[in-house]
Amino acid sequence: DPSNDVEVISGQGTIGLEFVEQAREQWGGQDLDAVIVPVGGGGLIGGIAAAIKGLLPRCKVFGAEPANAGDAFRSKAEHRIVPHDRP
């Protein structure tokens, strides 16, 4: 599963680095307060969160997923990976 692959997650972290860099360029050196990341298998948010929290520990990272595809929400609530069961 690519979502749990360390190299894939590390690669996704470069997106977080770009968020921070571009925000600082756009807003005169100001840092991000929060980011919202789509959640699928978890690799994207895992990489982005690791990179952003490494640079900006106070920055909040929120995951978002469609209501009818709430497997990440259910996984967190059940403390285990719950597979996606809807199209």
Side-chain angles (χ1 to χ4, degrees):
D1 177 16
S3 297
N4 292 321
D5 185 292
V6 173
E7 290 182 8
V8 171
I9 294 169
S10 296
Q12 303 292 9
T14 63
I15 297 167
L17 299 177
E18 289 182 38
F19 281 167
V20 172
E21 180 182 320
Q22 289 180 17
R24 286 175 175 167
E25 288 174 4
Q26 181 71 27
W27 296 307
Q30 256 188 315
D31 283 327
L32 295 166
D33 293 324
V35 294
I36 301 171
V37 183
V39 178
L44 181 65
I45 193 168
I48 290 174
I52 287 180
K53 289 296 201 172
L55 294 172
L56 306 172
R58 292 183 177 174
C59 183
K60 302 222 185 265
V61 179
F62 296 97
E65 65 182 343
N68 67 344
D71 51 310
F73 177 81
R74 291 191 319 274
S75 294
K76 183 166 175 56
E78 295 182 27
H79 304 287
R80 65 182 185 89
I81 295 175
V82 176
H84 181 65
D85 61 355
R86 298 181 191 125

